[in-house]
């Protein structure tokens, strides 16, 4: 089955680091851009950035540039979203999602992970 | 930066109603628009892309139209499963609208 499976919920303290994952199954993971989308509690969707696992080329939203790091390991079909120092305002659900077409930089998301809830609280 | 603005923010309707949600772009985006449905506690689900192309498996009561700066998502006859939040996205800049919550009247 074609799917994206994300890592489980995390509870962290402010200042801690975190890396969450998104693993692809059932398709050629290297060939499709993967994006990350934030949803703060009770709020809408915010695009954070995308990565092409084939060569790890990334593009960030200006709002998230420097705040997070997106990476991928194509050998294990996994993309990552990483923070070096979490803040309470990073509390949100984070979704990974796949672009529809192979190699397309501008594309819609046709496949979504189930989401990872990150809670940052002292 | 291109801004995507949805209206209304909340819409109350009844089963069987025809409803329309609007998404406006701050400048022309041709037909680079997708629509997603999100139910509580679930990931978004693609409904429509290229402004008017229905994703495979999506019921035909959903339709999309528009080009340039004004787009609409129409549900021809609301079903109980359709009460959810809907988002438009300009996928050339990846920008989402703020969402429209469709509630039961």
């Amino acid at each position: 089955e074609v799917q994206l499976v994300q890592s489980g919920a995390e509870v962290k303290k402010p200042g801690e680091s975190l890396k969450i994952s998104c693993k692809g199954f059932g398709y050629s993971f290297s060939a499709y851009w993967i994006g990350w989308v934030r949803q703060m509690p009770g709020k809408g969707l915010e695009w954070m950035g995308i990565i092409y696992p084939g060569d790890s080329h990334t593009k960030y939203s200006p709002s998230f540039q420097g705040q997070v790091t997106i990476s991928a390991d194509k050998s294990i079909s996994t993309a990552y979203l990483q923070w070096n120092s979490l803040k309470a305002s990073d509390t949100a659900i984070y979704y990974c999602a796949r672009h529809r077409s192979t190699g397309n930089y501008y594309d819609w998301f046709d496949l979504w992970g189930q989401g990872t809830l990150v809670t940052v609280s002292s | 930066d291109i801004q995507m603005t949805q209206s209304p923010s909340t819409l109350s309707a009844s089963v069987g109603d025809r409803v329309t949600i609007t998404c406006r772009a701050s400048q022309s985006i041709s037909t680079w628009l997708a629509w997603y449905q999100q139910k509580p506690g679930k990931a978004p689900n693609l409904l429509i892309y290229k402004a008017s192309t229905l994703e495979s498996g999506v019921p035909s009561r959903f339709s999309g139209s528009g080009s340039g700066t004004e787009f609409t998502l129409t549900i021809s006859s609301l079903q109980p499963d359709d009460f959810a939040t809907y988002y438009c996205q300009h996928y050339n800049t990846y920008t989402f609208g703020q969402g429209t919550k469709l509630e039961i009247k």
Side-chain angles (χ1 to χ4, degrees), chain A residues 1-59:
Chain A
E1 180 185 357
V2 176
Q3 59 180 334
L4 295 172
V5 178
Q6 297 184 229
S7 50
E10 302 273 2
V11 180
K12 292 289 189 179
K13 295 185 180 344
E16 292 186 332
S17 63
L18 177 64
K19 192 174 190 177
I20 62 174
S21 67
C22 168
K23 185 173 176 64
F25 292 89
Y27 74 97
S28 178
F29 186 80
S30 298
Y32 293 76
W33 289 84
I34 292 284
W36 286 94
V37 176
R38 182 176 79 174
Q39 188 165 41
M40 298 178 76
K43 302 299 184 182
L45 306 173
E46 300 174 89
W47 181 83
M48 301 176 70
I50 52 172
I51 187 165
Y52 188 71
D55 61 8
S56 290
H57 182 74
T58 56
K59 176 178 172 67

Side-chain angles (χ1 to χ4, degrees), chain A residues 39 95 100 105-106 108-109, chain B residues 36 38 49 55 92 94:
Chain A
Q39 188 165 41
Y95 294 101
R100 159 57 57 84
Y105 185 69
Y106 300 116
W108 54 93
F109 293 125
Chain B
Y36 302 88
Q38 187 181 31
Y49 56 93
E55 171 70 345
N92 190 270
Y94 315 106

Side-chain angles (χ1 to χ4, degrees), chain B residues 25-67:
Chain B
S26 58
Q27 62 191 78
S28 178
I29 62 168
S30 184
T31 56
W32 293 76
L33 191 92
W35 289 96
Y36 302 88
Q37 176 193 65
Q38 187 181 31
K39 297 179 181 178
K42 299 294 186 182
N45 183 53
L46 176 68
L47 298 175
I48 286 168
Y49 56 93
K50 294 182 183 177
S52 61
T53 303
L54 195 67
E55 171 70 345
S56 176
V58 173
S60 59
R61 62 181 179 273
F62 291 91
S63 64
S65 66
S67 66

